[in-house]
Amino acid sequence: DNGTTWSSINTGINNLTVASFATIGGNLFVGTNAGVFLSTTSGASWTAANNGIADQGILALAVNGTNLFAGSI
């Protein structure tokens, strides 16, 4: 419907302030105030993907090949 209708698909995201979005293949990533979350189900469910991230206020995500980079405050 070209964006006329929207629905929430945020199961598993514990902070709904999404500042950034990136994709690698079929994987979706969002950067939030609570870190990075990954969906392998086209957004139907999300899991935290924060191993090694000290500051979880993620403002930017960037992709280079299969590498994901996260920028924080």
Side-chain angles (χ1 to χ4, degrees):
D1 67 2
N2 294 320
T4 302
T5 306
W6 292 83
S7 60
S8 294
I9 53 171
N10 53 20
T11 301
I13 297 178
N14 61 7
N15 186 304
L16 300 181
T17 303
V18 174
S20 53
F21 180 86
T23 63
I24 299 176
N27 295 327
L28 308 177
F29 297 89
V30 293
T32 74
N33 288 338
V36 177
F37 289 84
L38 163 67
S39 177
T40 58
T41 59
S42 298
S45 62
W46 298 84
T47 56
N50 295 309
N51 286 345
I53 298 177
D55 184 344
Q56 294 187 357
I58 304 301
L59 295 178
L61 294 174
V63 174
N64 184 4
T66 58
N67 296 309
L68 178 70
F69 299 89
S72 63
I73 26 184

